[in-house]
Amino acid sequence: MEELIQSAIQMQDRAYCPYSHFAVGAALQAENGNIYTGCNIESISFSPTCCAERTAFFKAVSEGTRRFRRIAIAGGKKGEKREKTTPCGVCLQVMLEFCDPETFEVILAVSEKEYEVRRLAELLPYGFRPTGLGAGDPAGNRY
Ligand code: THU
């Protein structure tokens, strides 16, 4: 857990956030133990901005990994104390695509010692699940 949070904290340094100055790092642990990291990447036209969590997920999925255990998130205004950063709705929806909401853990980290663990189902209780279109289990995530 501490190692995962440490990776998320380190990734804050990679954040490209010249507009919000809010730096977010994420570290996603796959079922096989691999860790995929991400940071937020902003755009002058705003809507192309990608959150740290999605960066980590898209890196993992593009590398062939689709089964995940937990994600640690560290965020805060540059130069200020870190604050518990909850994923946005878009990122939660991406998590729901690939993770079992009852078991997947979202770690809201202030430091390696101070953090809160939430299940995805708590953060997105009524999310639109991949089975919603009668698509079965497209990502192989055991729904
Ligand atoms: N952001 C993330 O990367 N993850 C979150 O969980 C919340 C928000 C980013 C998006 C944007 O670059 C900045 O933080 C301010 O919203």
Side-chain angles (χ1 to χ4, degrees):
M1 187 73 92
E2 280 191 22
E3 195 191 320
L4 196 67
I5 292 174
Q6 226 165 47
S7 300
I9 289 173
Q10 278 167 10
M11 285 305 289
Q12 284 188 278
D13 290 340
R14 298 257 175 97
Y16 177 74
C17 51
Y19 308 107
S20 74
H21 306 290
F22 195 87
V24 187
L28 172 65
Q29 188 176 46
E31 258 182 27
N32 64 10
N34 284 356
I35 291 176
Y36 298 88
T37 55
C39 62
N40 53 330
I41 303 166
E42 298 186 342
S43 160
I44 183 65
S45 76
F46 291 6
S47 65
T49 291
C50 191
C51 293
E53 297 91 323
R54 267 175 293 148
T55 304
F57 265 89
F58 293 158
K59 279 169 71 178
V61 173
S62 66
E63 296 292 326
T65 300
R66 291 183 182 174
R67 289 176 174 274
F68 305 101
R69 256 185 228 156
R70 54 168 78 107
I71 188 167
I73 302 155
K77 274 262 181 195
K78 281 190 166 216
E80 290 177 23
K81 192 181 178 313
R82 234 169 264 123
E83 56 190 78
K84 275 183 196 162
T85 302
T86 312
C88 77
V90 174
C91 288
L92 291 172
Q93 189 67 50
V94 168
M95 292 177 199
L96 197 54
E97 185 72 30
F98 295 103
C99 307
D100 180 342
E102 306 303 333
T103 59
F104 186 72
E105 293 177 337
V106 182
I107 300 149
L108 316 175
V110 175
S111 72
E112 288 93 336
K113 301 269 177 246
E114 190 188 341
Y115 56 85
E116 187 176 325
V117 183
R118 294 281 169 192
R119 302 280 159 162
L120 177 55
E122 290 180 87
L123 300 178
L124 193 65
Y126 291 101
F128 185 44
R129 300 193 180 199
T131 48
L133 292 176
D137 183 14
N141 50 13
R142 299 182 308 276
Y143 284 108

